[in-house]
Amino acid sequence: MTFERLEAGPACRAGCILATGEIEKGSAEAFTQFARANHIRRGARVIFDSPGGVLLEGLRLGRAIRDAGLVTSVGRFEDGEFIAGGQCVSACAYAFLGGVQRRVLGDGRLGVHQFAAAIDSQGLTASDAQTLMGLIAIYLDRMVGKTSVLTLAAATPPADTRWLSAHELRRYALVTD
């Protein structure tokens, strides 16, 4: 994942960070270093446009965002302005939930699915998978006060995406606006 500081328009009064690309091992630490080097202050906005990536790193990134007191959005920024679209899927959805305030801009999309691919690629056992589900539930409870969106993710095969409607975003407390 790459991070870029933006100074564009009223949405970025406190500052904006554009977070794009895949969340990889080390992304949370890279974000923390970026935020320090750029003197990012509480209330700044992290704008995600990401296909996801490493699940545990997404959780770490979300915790770093929450610890810094930042706001999160899903959107796109191109040629110096915000444009329609943007997506935040899989591990990105969990990172997005780290925002103290959360918003999906325009026709941006937030999507979830199973993390079974992580089991195949990392050689995790069924017991490990259950432990990971527990960690995700604890994370969701801390970030949004609800764990119910986990059932939607668990019911969606890893090769598919469950795109959440505006109603579901509010119902599951994934957005705060």
Side-chain angles (χ1 to χ4, degrees):
M1 177 162 269
T2 61
F3 306 103
E4 177 185 349
R5 185 178 178 138
L6 304 176
E7 301 294 342
C12 295
R13 276 184 222 132
C16 282
I17 301 167
L18 185 60
T20 57
E22 281 196 43
I23 297 172
E24 301 171 326
K25 186 174 167 75
S27 289
E29 180 58 30
F31 173 80
T32 300
Q33 291 176 4
F34 176 89
R36 279 190 199 122
N38 286 276
H39 308 288
I40 302 300
R41 61 184 195 264
R42 296 182 88 66
R45 180 177 305 275
V46 180
I47 303 159
F48 284 105
D49 190 9
S50 168
V54 178
L55 175 61
L56 289 174
E57 200 64 21
L59 299 177
R60 287 183 193 104
L61 180 55
R63 281 195 307 269
I65 289 167
R66 179 63 58 95
D67 289 347
L70 305 179
V71 171
T72 55
S73 297
V74 176
R76 289 185 64 209
F77 189 84
E78 225 173 77
D79 299 325
E81 61 184 60
F82 290 101
I83 60 172
Q87 67 178 15
C88 184
V89 187
S90 189
C92 179
Y94 294 109
F96 167 82
L97 296 177
V100 294
Q101 294 178 338
R102 300 172 300 277
R103 186 171 177 213
V104 176
L105 305 171
D107 61 350
R109 302 187 306 166
L110 191 72
V112 296
H113 60 76
Q114 295 172 358
F115 60 84
I119 292 172
D120 296 338
S121 65
Q122 296 177 21
L124 300 178
T125 66
S127 178
D128 294 333
Q130 292 178 62
T131 299
L132 189 51
M133 285 291 278
L135 290 173
I136 294 168
I138 290 167
Y139 177 84
L140 288 170
D141 188 53
R142 287 183 181 157
M143 296 299 161
V144 300
K146 293 182 175 190
T147 61
S148 48
V149 73
L150 191 53
T151 60
L152 295 179
T156 306
D160 295 333
T161 299
R162 175 67 154 81
W163 297 108
L164 301 163
S165 69
H167 171 74
E168 290 169 326
L169 292 173
R170 289 186 304 277
R171 177 180 176 201
Y172 297 113
L174 305 180
V175 294
T176 58
D177 62 340

